[in-house]
């Protein structure tokens, strides 16, 4: 099946630092999505990307859809305590195939 | 979570019992997806339904698992004769139509004892 490799697996940063994580795939995806999941909760959509090369921002978050359509990255600038959680990338393979393939997640911890 | 409601939030079942998980999508959404998440892992697709139809069940085990999304009422994921390996968080998501953003519920955490 499809696999998304997400890195890093975990990050320990200080408040105020910038964060960068990425996802790579062996397959071409039509859509890339980034979600955040807090403990005991469902994933919450952060950013959706629909076109190769697209760069989209949502507040302090910026994500890009790689031009090869096999990768995506997410940047968080000036991290704050509420950024703590697990971030997942997800890819949608093709139009007409709506299921999402999720990455393995990046756990973000902020050191006081 | 844009209004996707799942219940129960937590469900404990003994081995061999049945588990029924319910999902009410966002009002107006006719596409429902079920995912399973094991601890420390990403979500794995199980099944995609559109009102009264199963569109893709490629991620759902052939035995013991079934899903429905009737014309009226919530979508149901049913697991018969549960085993310990079924213990996981089960998430439902809904979208207005295919290829639009899917919103997730808070999940049902199933524990099989």
């Amino acid at each position: 099946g499809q696999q998304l490799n997400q890195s890093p697996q975990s990050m320990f940063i200080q408040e105020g630092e910038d964060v960068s994580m990425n996802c790579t795939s062996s397959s071409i995806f039509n859509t890339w999505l980034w979600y955040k999941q807090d403990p005991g909760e469902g994933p919450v959509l952060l950013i959706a990307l629909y076109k190769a090369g697209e760069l989209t921002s949502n507040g302090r978050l910026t994500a890009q859809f790689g031009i090869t359509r096999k990768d995506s990255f997410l940047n968080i600038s000036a991290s704050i305590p509420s950024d703590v959680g697990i971030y997942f990338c997800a890819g949608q393979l093709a139009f007409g195939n709506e299921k999402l393939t999720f990455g393995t997640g990046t756990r973000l911890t902020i050191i006081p | 979570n844009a209004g996707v409601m799942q219940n129960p939030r937590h469900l404990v079942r003994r081995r061999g019992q049945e588990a029924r998980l319910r999902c009410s999508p966002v009002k107006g959404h006719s596409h429902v997806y079920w995912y399973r998440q094991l601890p420390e892992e990403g979500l794995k697709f199980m099944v995609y339904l559109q009102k009264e139809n199963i569109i893709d069940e490629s991620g759902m085990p052939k035995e013991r698992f079934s899903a429905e999304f009737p014309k009226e009422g919530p979508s149901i994921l049913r697991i018969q004769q549960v085993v310990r390996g079924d213990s996981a968080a089960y998430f439902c998501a809904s979208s207005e139509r295919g290829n639009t953003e899917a919103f997730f519920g808070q999940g049902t955490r199933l524990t099989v004892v």
Side-chain angles (χ1 to χ4, degrees), chain B residues 2-112:
Chain B
V4 177
M5 302 299 295
Q6 288 187 251
N7 68 82
R9 290 290 306 273
H10 300 273
L11 182 61
V12 180
R13 284 287 177 265
R14 295 186 185 278
R15 280 179 296 171
Q17 289 185 317
E18 179 178 284
R20 287 169 64 93
L21 287 61
R22 293 175 188 76
C23 169
S24 295
V26 172
K27 190 174 179 183
H29 284 190
S30 59
H31 297 247
V32 164
Y33 316 80
W34 286 93
Y35 291 83
R36 177 162 63 177
Q37 185 179 34
L38 296 172
E40 306 300 318
E41 292 190 10
L43 283 74
K44 297 283 196 306
F45 169 80
M46 297 181 73
V47 62
Y48 163 38
L49 308 105
Q50 188 182 354
K51 278 292 185 183
E52 300 185 271
N53 294 307
I54 295 176
I55 307 300
D56 183 345
E57 56 183 347
S58 59
M60 197 158 68
K62 297 274 186 285
E63 310 272 333
R64 305 188 296 109
F65 285 71
S66 63
E68 62 178 17
F69 187 17
K71 192 175 178 184
E72 302 291 337
S75 175
I76 306 286
L77 179 67
R78 181 184 300 148
I79 312 172
Q80 296 177 298
Q81 298 174 314
V82 296
V83 300
R84 288 231 170 97
D86 296 333
S87 296
Y90 291 84
F91 290 96
C92 167
S94 75
S95 65
E96 188 176 357
R97 55 187 184 279
N99 296 316
T100 57
E101 293 152 12
F103 296 92
F104 282 82
Q106 292 180 298
T108 294
R109 274 136 193 93
L110 172 65
T111 302
V112 179

